[in-house]
Amino acid sequence: MESPYGRAQTTELSPRHAAAIALYSVTAGQSLNQVIPALESRVDPDDRSFFRDMALGSCRWYYRLNAIAKMLLKNPFQEEDQDLHALLIIGLYQLLIQGKAPHAAVHATVDVCDEMGKGYAKAVINACLRRYGREYEALLPPLDENPVTATSHPKWLVKMLSKAWPEQWQSILNANNERAPLCLRINRRQLSREDYLVLLAEAGIDAHAGRYSADAVYLEESCDVTSLPGFADGYFSVQDEAAQLAAQILNPQDNERVLDACAAPGGKTCHLLECADIRLLAADADDNRLQRVNENLQRLGLVADVVCADVSVAGDWWGEEKFDAILLDVPCSATGVIRRHPDIRMLRRREDIDALAAVQQQILEQAWSMLKPGGRLLYATCSVLPQENTLQIERFVDMHPEASEVSLDTEWGVACNAGRQLYPQNNSHDGFYYALLQKAAV
């Protein structure tokens, strides 16, 4: 199913119409990152925050809201009217999650039918939303009995998480439904974390230091980061605290040759360069995303060699000199960052996990061959699934007698058979996995 809204448009959109297009586009297989920028440019600036909340929130609660929509509809919409089904979900999101005044929310949502050129559906949308207002006390309790509709996650993911983490799966799903806090990484080459907290306090901005990363600062309220002190001067970057741990664990030393093997968009690349005077090669298979790496390096005043290369395939793009240290933040299911990217729960499929695990294995094998004897490799994912994490590392160490796991003596996360797993935490870090491997010296 291809979205009819993919082609460029210039007419202005109401925020509800734009949100319905965004949700419909996700059901058609596009990510919010692909569709939001173009849609947002067509929404009045004063309404853009409202639009983004509806677009992200309707994906976050899609499985719950979709179940309600199906109960309210006497007959499902036809294939050519699935955008109307998305609009109904946008209306339900306003009533159930945002708590909007019913009369205003229903009226404004129904009017979007005319914007869509589908005025014939106004009566159906109106009837469904008003019926929800009358019958929600009876409609909602059955949804809470099924973890799919109670937590608004796909069945396959609920099953995998409950099997992998029988004690933690419910808290993981609940954390996925919370909004992630705004976390900064202070550029230690510019100033200390303590000095930046003083700058924030002087600007009347409430913030506190992160617990695990030495460079993390959490803001009590989200804001436009370009308005924060020192943005243009490279005082900080936006990066989740769990992601910041990569540089801390790899612990680069001056003059080392380091590879960031899956570098885009460059957050970890820059953090490594902020920590030590290293010779860093940043590689990624996506040339477009490498532009972000270069932009981040430029803003922060950092220097690295940047190359477009597929690390899973053997080649001579990296030169003859092997690396002292390698950061391997491999492509993964991103199941640890669902709260930041709620469309993941709609776009990802069970069969994707095995395919990703195969790619991860290829990348790990190739990267290992580029590592010096005595060197170290940090394997990382933003996944909470063992198939991509501890099982991957256990298999690799079993097959490579020259590889040994370095114990991560730390208070964050939980120890696995190999590596450590962080779960997403309310008002704190995302879900992440790390395993540090050492290559035996000759």
Side-chain angles (χ1 to χ4, degrees):
M1 180 170 58
E2 183 179 354
S3 170
Y5 303 104
R7 54 189 180 275
Q9 299 283 343
T10 57
T11 55
E12 187 170 303
L13 295 170
S14 71
R16 291 173 176 85
H17 188 187
I21 294 174
L23 177 61
Y24 175 76
S25 298
V26 173
T27 64
Q30 294 181 275
S31 72
L32 287 177
N33 285 342
Q34 289 175 294
V35 300
I36 278 185
L39 290 171
E40 192 172 52
S41 68
R42 298 168 60 192
V43 174
D44 186 283
D46 291 340
D47 292 328
R48 287 176 183 173
S49 177
F50 180 41
F51 154 66
R52 290 183 69 90
D53 183 77
M54 286 189 292
L56 272 71
S58 62
C59 290
R60 181 174 293 117
W61 293 103
Y62 176 78
Y63 289 95
R64 186 171 179 85
L65 297 174
N66 189 45
I68 298 172
K70 289 181 177 180
M71 288 189 287
L72 294 172
L73 285 165
K74 291 183 179 180
N75 298 296
F77 287 110
Q78 297 299 312
E79 182 71 20
E80 65 270 17
D81 283 335
Q82 288 303 302
D83 52 349
L84 290 169
H85 188 86
L87 177 62
L88 176 56
I89 290 176
I90 295 298
L92 291 169
Y93 177 75
Q94 295 167 69
L95 299 175
L96 178 60
I97 308 300
Q98 289 183 325
K100 295 289 185 182
H103 175 75
V106 172
H107 180 76
T109 302
V110 169
D111 281 348
V112 174
C113 294
D114 287 329
E115 283 189 66
M116 290 179 164
K118 298 185 175 184
Y120 56 82
K122 293 172 73 173
V124 174
I125 298 293
N126 182 68
C128 288
L129 294 178
R130 294 194 181 281
R131 182 185 168 198
Y132 171 80
R134 295 191 304 270
E135 301 179 18
Y136 69 90
E137 290 183 346
L139 292 169
L140 297 181
L143 301 180
D144 294 330
E145 298 173 5
N146 182 338
V148 172
T149 50
T151 68
S152 197
H153 284 75
K155 184 177 181 180
W156 70 267
L157 184 55
V158 173
K159 290 180 66 174
M160 290 189 77
L161 288 176
S162 60
K163 181 180 179 180
W165 310 110
E167 296 181 5
Q168 298 92 353
W169 69 275
Q170 289 175 309
S171 63
I172 293 172
L173 297 180
N174 289 336
N176 286 348
N177 288 333
E178 297 293 327
R179 296 180 184 179
L182 178 55
C183 185
L184 308 179
R185 184 190 77 240
I186 307 308
N187 184 354
R188 62 175 72 178
R189 287 189 178 269
Q190 296 281 6
L191 75 173
S192 69
R193 176 168 67 175
E194 291 68 27
D195 287 343
Y196 193 71
L197 284 168
V198 171
L199 286 180
L200 290 175
E202 290 174 346
I205 299 170
D206 292 332
H208 65 273
R211 180 178 176 185
Y212 305 116
S213 167
D215 300 313
V217 165
Y218 286 93
L219 301 190
E220 300 300 333
E221 295 183 5
S222 292
C223 66
D224 177 5
V225 296
T226 62
S227 66
L228 293 174
F231 173 80
D233 298 318
Y235 282 12
F236 67 88
S237 299
V238 176
Q239 188 179 40
D240 179 76
E241 185 175 16
Q244 294 182 36
L245 295 174
Q248 199 161 291
I249 299 168
L250 194 59
N251 191 24
Q253 302 297 305
D254 289 349
N255 300 316
E256 283 189 325
R257 188 171 192 238
V258 179
L259 171 66
D260 187 352
C262 305
K268 299 179 187 68
T269 303
C270 293
H271 198 191
L272 290 167
L273 291 165
E274 290 166 3
C275 292
D277 293 323
I278 56 177
R279 295 176 293 140
L280 189 140
L281 177 61
D284 200 276
D286 190 332
D287 198 25
N288 290 328
R289 296 186 73 226
L290 280 175
Q291 294 179 21
R292 290 280 307 280
V293 178
N294 286 314
E295 289 168 3
N296 284 322
L297 289 169
Q298 185 175 6
R299 185 179 70 84
L300 296 170
L302 302 169
V303 177
D305 292 322
V306 179
V307 61
C308 183
D310 184 350
V311 183
S312 67
V313 179
D316 58 3
W317 53 268
W318 54 277
E320 297 181 358
E321 182 185 0
K322 293 191 174 185
F323 297 94
D324 299 287
I326 296 177
L327 171 58
L328 209 58
D329 185 8
V330 294
C332 71
S333 64
T335 45
V337 294
I338 285 176
R339 61 182 186 170
R340 294 188 188 276
H341 305 283
D343 51 332
I344 288 171
R345 67 184 85 199
M346 300 170 62
L347 297 172
R348 192 70 68 218
R349 299 289 182 266
R350 170 62 185 89
E351 55 268 24
D352 295 339
I353 308 306
D354 292 337
L356 284 164
V359 171
Q360 292 157 3
Q361 181 178 336
Q362 287 181 304
I363 293 175
L364 182 53
E365 291 286 350
Q366 288 297 332
W368 189 251
S369 69
M370 304 175 198
L371 188 66
K372 288 180 180 179
R376 60 203 186 281
L377 182 150
L378 180 61
Y379 179 90
T381 77
C382 55
S383 169
V384 290
L385 298 176
Q387 290 87 341
E388 301 178 272
N389 297 339
T390 184
L391 296 178
Q392 193 76 272
I393 298 303
E394 286 182 78
R395 181 208 60 81
F396 183 81
V397 172
D398 285 345
M399 293 180 62
H400 290 268
E402 78 282 10
S404 59
E405 184 193 356
V406 179
S407 177
L408 299 176
D409 185 15
T410 179
E411 60 181 16
W412 52 257
V414 296
C416 305
N417 289 338
R420 292 186 73 87
Q421 180 71 60
L422 298 105
Y423 311 118
Q425 301 287 315
N426 293 343
N427 301 312
S428 187
H429 57 73
D430 291 338
F432 236 87
Y433 172 84
Y434 288 108
L436 182 62
L437 301 178
Q438 184 92 28
K439 196 171 195 177
V442 175

